[in-house]
Amino acid sequence: MDLFEYQGKRYFARHGIAVSPGDVADTVDEAVAVAERVGYPVVVKAQVKVGGRGKAGGVKLANNVDEVREHAVNILGLDIKGHVVKRLWVERSSDIAKEYYASFTLDRPNKTHLGMLSAQGGVEIEVVAEENPEAIAFLSIDPVEGLTLATARRWVAEAELDDVAREQSAELLVKLYECYTQGDCDLAEINPLILTPDNKVHALDAKVTLDENASYRHPEWEEFRGDEFEDPREKMAKEKGLNYIGLDGTVGIIANGAGLAMSTLDVVNQVGGTAANFLDIGGGANADVMAAALEVINADPKVKSIFVNIFGGITRVDEVAKGVLEALKRVSINSPIVLRLDGTNALEGRALLAPHLNENLITEPTMLDAARRAVALAN
Ligand code: GDP
Ligand code: MN
């Protein structure tokens, strides 16, 4: 999950990283109110999850109330690389002596963290990497050892940050590393990290990507989830603990195992249909999971038929069949269900279903047959 700059700055601030005082604003009047509160001059900044806002006219300096109004009017609604600005961040403007770059990210092939630090910040790091690669000091960090202040001190010297900035930067980098690791980020980037004329170092921008696999231990991340942008089906699925991705077709899909779920999408496409979703119910295809899965798919108004594709391995098909029957008692389903049940105890499973079959509960012997039937019902 990518954070907006204002969210990233709040995340940084919680870990003791210095940021400018500021607040969000969704209207011109709110922008003025924030500016009055933090004091002029201020910077009015577009909150979109894309870089290069400055160049696109999404970051503007304002010296007084009229300028705040003017910039807020212009930036709200601005389209930056396909992202329409709905929210602003207004912060006290900083005087800049130097712009640096700092980030931590994963180095997957080497199984370490990668720190990047440069005295040439403010521009895109890709450009620096291309034109002036020796200006970036790379640091490989063993996740067990972490980043010590001593290492950070050597690193800021190697990156040739200005002498007056080094100690503050080293301390800030240790905090940024803690934010990145303890905060379960995939990326924590500050560009620019600035040195002010009165020799203070602080973060002027924040780019943070959170590792969603860790969301179970971060209930506080809920505040970062903008309901307005989330697919309501995915939200419902997440609440029910399902592994669901919303698509825009008409055949609802339930399969066990991610591989089988993907093959199911392929086969539905192959026979001329479109999948409404990806949904892997995993190994535990019991009544609770099946009922939850059917409920989520049933709530999607585009769904015209439901294809349940189960290959019993460790999961026994008779258990799945019981789960389906039990789930159907609890949820009333608007679309016909086509089942393909194969693998361990398939015969027992089909026998259990046999007395309940009708035009809304259908079994087919193979995956391809079932796909054809589900697609025919949907089209
Ligand atoms: P980005 O273009 O999306 O990366 O947005 P940034 O937050 O990095 O802002 C872009 C540029 O605007 C920075 O590199 C700075 O040069 C400038 N900028 C941002 N905030 C301030 C500020 O408080 N004072 C001054 N003087 N310039 C700023
Ligand atoms: Mn930036």
Side-chain angles (χ1 to χ4, degrees):
M1 173 168 53
D2 292 334
L3 298 190
F4 288 106
E5 175 197 6
Y6 75 91
Q7 297 171 327
K9 283 182 167 168
R10 285 178 185 163
Y11 215 53
F12 285 174
R14 266 177 229 161
H15 288 86
I17 295 162
V19 294
S20 307
D23 210 341
V24 291
D26 293 343
T27 64
V28 176
D29 287 341
E30 281 175 29
V32 169
V34 178
E36 299 283 327
R37 207 159 63 231
V38 298
Y40 295 99
V42 294
V43 192
V44 182
K45 306 182 77 174
Q47 295 302 290
V48 282
K49 293 178 179 178
V50 60
R53 293 167 302 159
K55 270 190 219 154
V59 178
K60 295 282 186 190
L61 190 78
N63 289 299
N64 53 52
V65 76
D66 293 336
E67 288 179 12
V68 172
R69 282 196 182 280
E70 181 192 332
H71 295 318
V73 166
N74 291 337
I75 298 174
L76 281 169
L78 187 70
D79 185 316
I80 301 180
K81 301 177 188 168
H83 297 246
V84 177
V85 181
K86 293 186 181 142
R87 178 166 281 182
L88 303 170
W89 170 255
V90 180
E91 71 176 25
R92 168 95 56 74
S93 172
S94 307
D95 290 331
I96 303 177
K98 281 289 177 61
E99 294 188 304
Y100 307 136
Y101 172 94
S103 71
F104 294 102
T105 185
L106 280 173
D107 182 355
R108 292 180 195 273
N110 292 315
K111 298 177 182 158
T112 60
H113 297 302
L114 177 68
M116 287 196 270
L117 184 62
S118 176
Q120 297 186 16
V123 291
E124 282 161 51
I125 195 65
E126 290 82 359
V127 175
V128 181
E130 178 103 346
E131 291 174 358
N132 202 0
E134 68 282 1
I136 304 173
F138 294 94
L139 182 69
S140 172
I141 305 156
D142 185 311
V144 177
E145 287 166 18
L147 177 64
T148 61
L149 187 56
T151 304
R153 283 181 178 137
R154 264 181 271 128
W155 191 24
V156 296
E158 194 201 326
E160 299 180 346
L161 301 194
D162 299 78
D163 284 337
V164 290
R166 287 189 187 176
E167 184 58 22
Q168 283 178 74
S169 300
E171 285 167 13
L172 183 142
L173 287 165
V174 169
K175 288 176 188 159
L176 184 62
Y177 180 78
E178 278 165 9
C179 175
Y180 163 79
T181 50
Q182 292 165 16
D184 285 308
C185 304
D186 278 339
L187 169 73
E189 181 189 74
I190 304 178
N191 188 23
L193 174 71
I194 61 157
L195 173 66
T196 63
D198 57 351
N199 296 337
K200 299 250 164 52
V201 171
H202 79 265
L204 218 57
D205 193 5
K207 194 167 173 205
V208 172
T209 306
L210 301 174
D211 178 355
E212 294 260 13
N213 293 309
S215 57
Y216 71 94
R217 58 186 175 206
H218 293 281
E220 80 281 7
W221 285 0
E222 270 318 303
E223 69 165 285
F224 297 138
R225 292 185 206 284
D227 280 346
E228 68 268 43
F229 304 118
E230 203 172 12
D231 184 325
R233 300 172 299 171
E234 290 184 1
K235 186 162 180 260
M236 182 178 175
K238 198 178 286 163
E239 282 162 9
K240 293 178 184 295
L242 294 171
N243 198 356
Y244 174 102
I245 296 167
L247 303 168
D248 47 20
T250 56
V251 181
I253 307 281
I254 298 175
N256 65 325
L260 185 61
M262 284 190 276
S263 311
T264 309
L265 303 197
D266 283 346
V267 97
V268 163
N269 272 304
Q270 185 194 324
V271 300
T274 52
N277 66 280
F278 166 98
L279 174 48
D280 163 22
I281 55 169
N286 59 27
D288 288 341
V289 177
M290 191 57 81
L294 286 171
E295 259 179 278
V296 171
I297 289 179
N298 199 45
D300 180 348
K302 281 180 130 183
V303 166
K304 296 287 176 290
S305 69
I306 301 172
F307 179 4
V308 179
N309 190 7
I310 302 292
F311 190 91
I314 294 167
T315 312
R316 289 163 40 200
V317 171
D318 53 332
E319 290 300 323
V320 176
K322 278 184 209 154
V324 171
L325 292 174
E326 178 61 34
L328 287 177
K329 277 188 220 157
R330 297 191 213 162
V331 197
S332 102
I333 305 295
N334 306 323
S335 324
I337 301 174
V338 182
L339 298 141
R340 174 261 180 157
L341 301 173
D342 222 331
T344 311
N345 289 6
L347 291 179
E348 291 83 342
R350 288 180 201 156
L352 278 170
L353 282 170
H356 303 274
L357 296 179
N358 57 44
E359 75 275 11
N360 286 319
L361 188 65
I362 301 156
T363 60
E364 289 286 353
T366 71
M367 179 156 155
L368 189 59
D369 291 327
R372 286 203 176 106
R373 189 68 172 266
V375 170
L377 287 164
N379 288 347

